[in-house]
Amino acid sequence: MKVLFLNHCGKLGGAELCLINTAKPYRDSCLVGLFADDGPLYHWLEQQHIPVQVLATQPIGVRKESSLLQGLASLGQLSPLIAKVALLSHEYDLIFANTHKALVVGALASLFSRRPLVYCLHDILSEDHFSRTNCRIAVTLANHFASRVITNSKATQAAFVQAGGRPDLTDVVYNGFEPEIYQSHKVEYRHMRQQLGLEGRFLVGHFSRLSTWKGQHILIEALRYCPEDVVALLVGDALFDEQDYVQQLHEQVSVLGLKERVRFLGFRSDVVSLMVACDLVAHTSIAPEPFGRVIVEAMLCGRPVVAAQAGGAVELVETDRTGWLVPPGDPQRLGEVISACHNQPEYTATIAYQAQIQASQRFHLSVINQQIAQLLCRTIA
Ligand code: UDP
């Protein structure tokens, strides 16, 4: 099957890491079209021998929070790109839109080329994340132009339907992972801690772009309720113009006198080694998380996880069986769970082990890619 994948940016977020895994089985006959070469995605796709091309020559002005007028104004700017994608898509059986802006372009291109469109929805379509106009645009285009909408969790599916999306179009397909990649790093626990100069400390890792809704400030605040030897590792950088938040986090650390207990490591491509070096992985989003790759990755690494109880995270973690869920935006409760894990290492290890076994089966890439293949085959049939 020949698939034209579309992604609006070249940055590496969860949606893009998922795209790499989705596109892999089609690498002999697919193309990933990017609308910008503004990050490492192009290079990562090339490394995996997945054909990739940058299709746009200028950045798209419209943003998640844009109004209707701004959205309409950007249509003129998009028309050469839409024409290019429509022409290109004649060579493919199907257009696969991986992001919101990719849907806009893919929907109109599919109208002209009469190729079926699959929309892979990685976001909770609600006003926590998008302007009302943008939610409406996504739902309207999906309802009218998409043959299928793949949602990455039941929470994402429910939000799509709540926003007016057609339930009959949707299928929930979780992100897939290769467990072997996460389980071959056992020796690195001590080595990475030595490199970081943090031997003997209880490390709580947070792996996410620095963004207000990802709630790194909640973890920093939670340290006040934890023993003194607990250190937070913040792995990730601001991806989408959130420098003010980064500044705010540094100020918070200063004000609370936590400079020795918070490390900012920036964006890292060795997430697995860092996760293995952690005693606990914390997920602290204050708005519902669509899926939460980091939660599954931590489980696959055999690391215990505490996650914010909202959105897709609720489908991944079961308290006291595969991790712990805490109310979003509650640093005290988070601090209590961190302290409990610190005090009960054996019990915590048992939970982490159970989570690892379950996640290795439930989110295995081969199973997930098979689900996608069936959906795509049905779509073109
Ligand atoms: N990640 C990474 N380097 C970093 C921070 C995060 O590669 O420095 C990865 C992380 O391992 C995960 C993805 O970025 O696979 C984030 O996905 P998630 O679903 O957790 O959040 P999203 O970015 O989609 O909101």
Side-chain angles (χ1 to χ4, degrees), residues 63 78 100 127 221 363:
R63 298 164 56 92
L78 284 180
H100 193 80
E127 287 175 41
E221 179 77 20
F363 304 105

Side-chain angles (χ1 to χ4, degrees), residues 299-347:
M299 288 174 169
L300 293 172
C301 287
R303 291 291 151 242
V305 193
V306 53
Q309 187 166 13
V314 176
E315 296 160 50
L316 310 181
V317 179
E318 200 183 327
T319 289
D320 281 327
R321 237 183 72 72
T322 52
W324 294 271
L325 290 168
V326 293
D330 186 343
Q332 185 169 347
R333 185 70 198 111
L334 177 63
E336 285 164 7
V337 171
I338 295 172
S339 304
C341 290
H342 189 349
N343 297 337
Q344 308 170 73
E346 278 173 24
Y347 175 61

Side-chain angles (χ1 to χ4, degrees), residues 161-381:
V161 173
Q162 171 98 29
R166 280 171 47 197
D168 60 301
L169 286 180
T170 61
D171 290 281
V172 177
V173 181
Y174 292 125
N175 281 205
F177 301 81
E178 291 172 274
E180 312 75 45
I181 293 177
Y182 299 87
Q183 286 157 19
S184 58
H185 290 252
K186 293 213 165 75
V187 283
E188 292 188 15
Y189 176 83
R190 208 164 280 162
H191 177 67
M192 181 58 85
R193 284 165 162 260
Q194 267 167 3
Q195 263 188 17
L196 295 168
L198 290 170
E199 296 116 307
R201 312 294 283 275
F202 187 89
L203 299 190
V204 182
H206 191 293
F207 298 81
S208 171
R209 61 196 140 102
L210 302 180
S211 170
T212 310
W213 78 270
K214 291 288 189 182
Q216 281 86 356
H217 58 286
I218 302 295
L219 176 58
I220 295 173
E221 179 77 20
L223 290 180
R224 297 173 62 193
Y225 303 96
C226 298
E228 282 291 313
D229 65 338
V230 175
V231 170
L233 292 186
L234 301 184
V235 183
D237 210 343
L239 276 193
F240 302 109
D241 302 335
E242 299 238 35
Q243 286 309 330
D244 288 354
Y245 182 61
V246 179
Q247 180 69 27
Q248 229 172 283
L249 290 177
H250 283 280
E251 279 165 20
Q252 184 190 11
V253 169
S254 272
V255 169
L256 295 177
L258 293 171
K259 280 200 169 153
E260 296 303 313
R261 296 178 59 195
V262 180
R263 286 282 181 87
F264 290 87
L265 299 188
F267 179 86
R268 300 277 296 236
S269 46
D270 55 347
V271 162
V272 178
S273 308
L274 284 163
M275 268 187 186
V276 170
C278 290
D279 297 291
L280 179 69
V281 171
H283 162 271
T284 59
S285 296
I286 55 173
E289 184 72 54
F291 176 73
R293 290 178 61 85
V294 288
I295 297 171
V296 178
E297 288 169 345
M299 288 174 169
L300 293 172
C301 287
R303 291 291 151 242
V305 193
V306 53
Q309 187 166 13
V314 176
E315 296 160 50
L316 310 181
V317 179
E318 200 183 327
T319 289
D320 281 327
R321 237 183 72 72
T322 52
W324 294 271
L325 290 168
V326 293
D330 186 343
Q332 185 169 347
R333 185 70 198 111
L334 177 63
E336 285 164 7
V337 171
I338 295 172
S339 304
C341 290
H342 189 349
N343 297 337
Q344 308 170 73
E346 278 173 24
Y347 175 61
T348 304
T350 308
I351 298 288
Y353 181 66
Q354 282 172 192
Q356 187 180 35
I357 303 277
Q358 196 200 69
S360 306
Q361 293 161 2
R362 199 170 164 215
F363 304 105
H364 202 293
L365 185 60
S366 60
V367 176
I368 301 294
N369 275 348
Q370 219 170 330
Q371 291 172 9
I372 294 179
Q374 280 168 2
L375 279 171
L376 301 190
C377 281
R378 256 196 278 144
T379 305
I380 60 169

